[in-house]
């Protein structure tokens, strides 16, 4: 039994080692909104990415550091050399002043998570 288990593990390792890996490559991982007006409402930036690997890329989840920041992402697997996007929305309501928010992106790529950063300055309501 032990011999068969070792053989099974060796076969699975060999099959996995020959398989490709996805690689997420962003045009940029940081975006500065500059000055935004609190009374104008939410602002959104779309972070574009490419699968630079040789296996399908899957976005597993995204998580923000605060409830004022939300994200939506490409749900379908992205083929090698294919593109996708992650839209990050910031709500400036009640948050005058400088802000810097992070969104962690979890994927099946070589580097399992990547940080996206949005920043700017909220001009308060008059």
């Amino acid at each position: 039994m032990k011999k068969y288990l070792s053989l099974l593990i060796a076969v699975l390792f060999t099959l996995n080692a020959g398989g490709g890996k996805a690689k997420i490559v962003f045009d940029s991982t940081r975006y500065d909104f500059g000055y935004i007006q609190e009374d104008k409402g939410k602002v959104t930036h779309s972070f574009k990415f490419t699968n630079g690997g040789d296996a399908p890329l899957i976005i597993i989840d995204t998580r923000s550091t605060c409830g004022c920041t939300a994200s939506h992402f490409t749900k379908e697997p992205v083929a090698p050399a294919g593109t996708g996007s992650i839209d990050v929305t910031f709500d400036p309501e009640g948050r005058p002043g400088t802000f810097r928010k992070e969104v962690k992106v979890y994927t099946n790529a070589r580097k399992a998570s990547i940080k996206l950063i949005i920043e700017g300055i909220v001009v308060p309501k008059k």
Side-chain angles (χ1 to χ4, degrees):
M1 179 71 169
K2 195 173 183 182
K3 181 178 177 182
Y4 291 114
L5 183 58
S6 296
L7 180 61
L8 179 61
I9 291 171
V11 168
L12 290 174
F13 181 78
T14 302
L15 290 174
N16 193 33
K21 281 288 197 177
K23 181 180 180 186
I24 191 165
V25 180
F26 283 93
D27 294 344
S28 176
T29 57
R30 181 182 294 264
Y31 184 75
D32 187 346
F33 284 104
Y35 288 91
I36 59 174
Q37 302 293 320
E38 180 181 4
D39 56 0
K40 298 267 176 151
K42 298 176 182 177
V43 292
T44 301
H45 176 70
S46 185
F47 289 92
K48 307 290 184 192
F49 65 85
T50 302
N51 180 358
D54 56 3
L57 171 70
I58 299 168
I59 305 289
I60 298 166
D61 196 12
T62 59
R63 299 220 176 122
S64 63
T65 54
C66 151
C68 61
T69 308
S71 57
H72 296 88
F73 56 91
T74 302
K75 304 277 193 231
E76 301 79 28
V78 178
T83 60
S85 64
I86 298 174
D87 297 333
V88 178
T89 302
F90 173 72
D91 184 356
E93 181 69 32
R95 295 177 179 83
T98 303
F99 70 91
R100 181 183 183 276
K101 303 295 177 186
E102 296 178 359
V103 173
K104 269 197 159 178
V105 179
Y106 297 92
T107 72
N108 68 325
R110 288 180 181 114
K111 185 175 181 185
S113 70
I114 291 185
K115 255 190 253 183
L116 301 178
I117 297 170
I118 58 169
E119 55 194 353
I121 300 170
V122 177
V123 178
K125 296 177 184 178
K126 295 181 181 183

